[in-house]
Amino acid sequence: MVRTGSFQYLKYGWETAPGTENATRTKIFGKEQKMGALSFKTNVQALREMDTIEVGSFGFMGNEGNATLNWVLSNPWFFRGLFANPVKAGTAPTTYTYDSSVSAAKIISTMSIEAGYDAETQDLVRVLLGVIFSNCTISCKVGDFVRVSAGIQWGKEKAIGTTVASGVAEDSGSSFPFTFVHGALAVDGVTLTQVQSADITFTMNSDLLREINTADATDGYRKGFDITGKFQVSQVDKTYVQKVMDRAEINSTPDLVLTFSNGLAGASMKKIVITCTGLALGEHDNNVEPVEAIFENVSWQIRNVVVVASNQTTTEP
């Protein structure tokens, strides 16, 4: 009988060295985790010979895995894979600061991810090693949770296991399913009203490092960090079409701020604030139709981002 996702779990842990298994996998990405397009390939190549139309032989090249992840934003721990180890400070709440400008962010952080499936006749446990993010998008729109989608890649796996373990739960100190209700967007020092949607995309420009004498990837590296996004808001005046036409970088410091919270303060606060500087508004568009609300869409790029997560967890799980 076919089984559903209720028979599967997903959990991860940060590696101390790329591709070296972290057997203590105590974190989940967020609520309502989903993994799609889970693929593994050997990049096999065919060799052709004279005097025949058939393939002569095969050569198996580097191992390569890819997948997409989707979840509801409910904890900040995945940000380490986009930046580096956070700087921790304070209590009640404790803050964790991730900064794209620090030197450590040049070195990509790798994960061990365990995907277990309690199958009907034989369990299937895959442990992906040296996993890195390819990209990650955080999206917020009216009437929905704040959602995260990410692409991951890896080039090494542990031998397939046949005994499932169990999933893990989020720590209560940081866990909260963020929604649009307590979201906020500020641009050029002004908190916008009537915002319909906003998203930010982190593109890692990452790749797997290979070496002679192994089919497995031995590390991952990043070639740059591109941070882009867009927002949709009711058009009330010429402000944003004018800013795009001005063809100039905005340097109001901070230039763009995205905030998600549980709406509480002090010892009950759970909040993620994404602060961007070096803002370039690149494109503006809008539709005008009979009896429909008029919204404007603005696309942007930035140079630097700092993420500050505030919660009641004093030690990252």
Side-chain angles (χ1 to χ4, degrees), residues 176 178 181-183 260-265 268-271:
F176 181 80
F178 295 101
V181 173
H182 296 295
F260 307 113
S261 81
N262 64 348
L264 302 177
S268 300
M269 176 190 295
K270 294 175 183 177
K271 179 186 289 188

Side-chain angles (χ1 to χ4, degrees), residues 185-192 240 243 250-257 279:
L185 172 66
V187 178
D188 199 11
V190 177
T191 299
L192 306 189
Y240 292 104
K243 287 181 184 293
I250 296 173
N251 285 294
S252 53
T253 311
D255 306 329
L256 186 146
V257 181
L279 174 65

